[in-house]
Amino acid sequence: MIGVLVTFTQTDKFDRSTLTKIADELRGPFDGMPGLRFKSFMLDEGGGQAKNFYVWDDEEKGRSFFAEELVDKVTGIYGVRPTIEYLDVVGFVDNSGA
């Protein structure tokens, strides 16, 4: 399992309503996506960063998803190029079914 943290940093604050709209509009393609365990759209408290966190069942699918074409697309959506961190998931708790 692999976690991927995608961080968008800008000098101005991200607007919560704009990020909520982005999350609502982009959610559909991720529902039921093969290999994707979950994805979250997040805004830091200070507003200077938007972060998306993914957990993939398969490392190859997780890494290949973030091809240059996708990075270019999300750069256009968020207005800044993201940094992408790949993280080894060594433990996982999922209480969504509880």
Side-chain angles (χ1 to χ4, degrees):
M1 202 177 320
I2 187 171
V4 183
L5 179 61
V6 180
T7 303
F8 302 89
T9 304
Q10 65 177 29
T11 54
D12 297 328
K13 289 186 176 183
F14 279 104
D15 177 65
R16 176 179 285 280
S17 63
T18 300
L19 289 181
T20 299
K21 182 179 178 189
I22 289 171
D24 289 344
E25 291 175 356
L26 297 182
R27 177 189 176 125
F30 294 102
D31 283 332
M33 183 178 279
L36 180 63
R37 176 78 57 102
F38 78 80
K39 177 190 186 333
S40 61
F41 296 85
M42 302 173 291
L43 172 64
D44 76 342
E45 286 186 26
Q49 291 184 325
K51 297 183 181 196
N52 296 337
F53 188 67
Y54 304 73
V55 173
W56 296 86
D57 288 326
D58 179 82
E59 182 174 349
E60 184 178 327
K61 284 183 182 178
R63 288 183 180 275
S64 66
F65 180 77
F66 296 96
E68 193 62 31
E69 180 181 314
L70 179 90
V71 173
D72 289 343
K73 181 178 179 179
V74 297
T75 297
I77 292 168
Y78 285 87
V80 292
R81 189 168 183 82
T83 59
I84 301 173
E85 298 174 70
Y86 297 94
L87 309 161
D88 188 17
V89 177
V90 297
F92 188 79
V93 175
D94 182 357
N95 292 325
S96 62

